Amino acid sequence: MARIAVFNQKGGVGKTTTTLNLAGLLTRRGDDPLVIDLDPQAHLTAVCGVVVPRAEASLYGLYAHGAPLSALICATRNGWKLVPSHLELSKVDTQFGKGPSALSRLSLALEREPAERPVLMDSCPMLGVLSLSSVFAADGVLIPISADYLALKGALQMERTLKALEHVLKRRVPRRYLITRYDSRRRMAVDIERQLRERYGDEVCATRIAENVSLAESPARNQDVFEHAPTSRRARAPRWRQSGGLPCSARLPPV
Ligand SMILES: Nc1ncnc2c1ncn2[C@@H]1O[C@H](COP(=O)(O)OP(=O)(O)O)[C@@H](O)[C@H]1O
Ligand SMILES: [Mg+2]
């Protein structure tokens, strides 16, 4: 099963929203995803209603004590396995970031997890050990791009970042750009979609995620959109379910 890093170094583009709803979809499909919250802001952890008593019980435990992921997994009320985040993770770069081994820690820890379980990693909006580790550990990167001008600039930055990483990894990182917060009434959104499709072609997912109240409201209820508003157009968007469910024009490769 695929290991997907949901990554964009720009904040507010829909990384957490995408991870939340992809995990919800995979769970409904019976795929039992492992979800890893790599953002020290711990938004996904909070949305899942998980309270971490001490930093060591979060992903921080992997970096601080080499704890296996299996010891850090919490069961969430929505039925996923979550490795939660904690504010202390913001210190990972300064405390444990020296040397190339820091970047491969997560990838090595994931090798000890069942290969058939899909993994979704919600990255933080900074370039550092945590976000780069998620790319190192992933089979593919899903890059949410909100349909606004600064996000388009962010997409070009992401391209440069991935190119630099590919130089180190010595392989191309499969990627899909997912347009989020799309409002077809805005000319700018239409123009940004056109530019993205011209530049990245099939790497842009066929599905766009619309600007939608249910998607914005559901985290406040600790729910994904399928639970919060099962009849909303976003929950029923056909391509969420197409070709095995990933909202991509082409699927990311299996492990
Ligand atoms: N499609 C959407 N429609 C409406 N609001 C959205 C949508 N996607 C994200 N949001 C809202 O935008 C904000 C940022 O989204 P989030 O997923 O937290 O971004 P990131 O993780 O990239 O920082 C949140 O308040 C979220 O509820
Ligand atoms: Mg986020």
Side-chain angles (χ1 to χ4, degrees):
M1 276 288 188
R3 292 176 177 168
I4 299 174
V6 183
F7 177 43
N8 187 334
Q9 58 208 71
K10 187 173 181 330
V13 291
K15 292 182 288 298
T16 300
T17 305
T18 301
T19 310
L20 170 72
N21 290 298
L22 268 183
L25 188 71
L26 288 171
T27 303
R28 275 166 186 74
R29 225 176 58 166
D31 279 330
D32 193 22
L34 174 63
V35 184
I36 305 178
D37 186 355
L38 289 120
D39 188 346
Q41 294 180 91
H43 288 164
L44 189 63
T45 301
V47 169
C48 293
V50 170
V51 179
V52 186
R54 17 181 210 98
E56 286 71 17
S58 74
L59 184 64
Y60 184 80
L62 169 71
Y63 292 93
H65 309 296
L69 294 177
S70 55
L72 305 173
I73 291 173
C74 307
T76 69
R77 59 168 288 285
N78 30 15
W80 339 321
K81 296 179 171 57
L82 173 77
V83 176
S85 177
H86 189 281
L87 192 58
E88 280 296 292
L89 272 174
S90 56
K91 298 182 183 160
V92 160
D93 276 74
T94 45
Q95 290 181 333
F96 315 108
K98 303 271 182 320
S101 64
L103 290 184
S104 46
R105 273 203 158 179
L106 180 61
S107 165
L108 290 174
L110 276 170
E111 276 173 23
R112 282 181 254 143
E113 292 304 304
E116 66 279 7
R117 180 172 290 148
V119 178
L120 292 174
M121 294 171 271
D122 183 21
S123 299
C124 55
M126 293 158 282
L127 270 190
V129 168
L130 293 167
S131 52
L132 297 181
S133 297
S134 72
V135 178
F136 268 53
D139 304 311
V141 180
L142 185 59
I143 306 167
I145 311 270
S146 57
D148 60 77
Y149 172 68
L150 291 178
L152 184 65
K153 285 194 74 135
L156 302 179
Q157 269 169 358
M158 274 299 302
E159 194 183 338
R160 283 195 286 274
T161 300
L162 287 177
K163 279 219 170 96
L165 276 175
E166 283 168 350
H167 189 67
V168 178
L169 287 166
K170 299 188 177 31
R171 64 175 168 92
R172 181 168 167 79
V173 176
R175 69 204 70 171
R176 296 290 181 271
Y177 295 88
L178 176 65
I179 300 169
T180 62
R181 309 200 67 165
Y182 186 82
D183 182 345
S184 58
R185 293 166 304 180
R186 287 193 201 142
R187 195 189 298 170
M188 187 181 62
V190 176
D191 189 46
I192 281 168
E193 178 181 11
R194 183 184 52 73
Q195 289 192 51
L196 283 171
R197 292 199 188 280
E198 269 172 24
R199 190 174 178 100
Y200 300 118
D202 284 349
E203 288 182 334
V204 182
C205 297
T207 295
R208 299 172 307 224
I209 307 300
E211 178 76 23
N212 178 269
V213 172
S214 301
L215 282 167
E217 281 175 353
S218 62
R221 307 267 156 86
N222 299 113
Q223 290 172 340
D224 59 47
V225 73
F226 307 102
E227 191 179 5
H228 170 62
T231 56
S232 84
R233 286 186 60 215
R234 281 321 105 208
R236 287 186 287 115
R239 290 195 196 94
W240 279 104
R241 293 156 201 278
Q242 192 186 63
S243 67
L246 291 180
C248 303
S249 53
R251 297 191 70 198
L252 292 169
V255 178

